[in-house]
Amino acid sequence: VVNFLFYFRTDEAEPIGALLLEHCRVTKEEENVFSISFIEEPERKYCFECDSEQQCQEWIEALKRASYEFMRRSLIFYRNEIQKMTGKDPLEQYGISEEARFQL
């Protein structure tokens, strides 16, 4: 959900925890296995096993795109592209075009 990854026990409906997908590294470990580790706590590592190599790659790509920083960079990129094409800042109509979080 957005930039949180909730994890569950296989026999329970409620999550037992959540990982905030910020300042983390998603790494391919071995066939059908990837891990999430955290830059500030490199000893904290979560390993996940998938049913197939394709499923593993899909998880890795989705998790890499889930961070706030990735979404912010994407917004800035597309904002600049739209501005080049139209000559207008698409965020201006919302009154947020000058906010620091939307600047490079």
Side-chain angles (χ1 to χ4, degrees), residues 1-17:
V1 178
V2 189
N3 61 347
F4 281 94
L5 176 64
F6 293 91
Y7 53 96
F8 301 76
R9 285 197 170 84
T10 55
D11 57 343
E12 294 181 19
E14 293 295 315
I16 59 171

Side-chain angles (χ1 to χ4, degrees), residues 32-45:
N32 300 350
V33 177
F34 69 91
S35 67
I36 299 173
S37 58
F38 293 86
I39 294 168
E40 288 108 16
E41 300 177 74
E43 70 283 351
R44 186 174 149 205
K45 185 176 182 180

Side-chain angles (χ1 to χ4, degrees), residues 12-55:
E12 294 181 19
E14 293 295 315
I16 59 171
L19 301 175
L20 177 61
L21 299 171
E22 299 297 334
H23 309 290
C24 67
R25 182 173 290 121
V26 181
T27 307
K28 179 84 169 90
E29 294 289 333
E30 54 190 67
E31 190 174 338
N32 300 350
V33 177
F34 69 91
S35 67
I36 299 173
S37 58
F38 293 86
I39 294 168
E40 288 108 16
E41 300 177 74
E43 70 283 351
R44 186 174 149 205
K45 185 176 182 180
Y46 297 83
C47 290
F48 299 88
E49 185 173 2
C50 299
D51 292 332
S52 69
E53 188 62 27
Q54 180 181 348
Q55 186 183 57

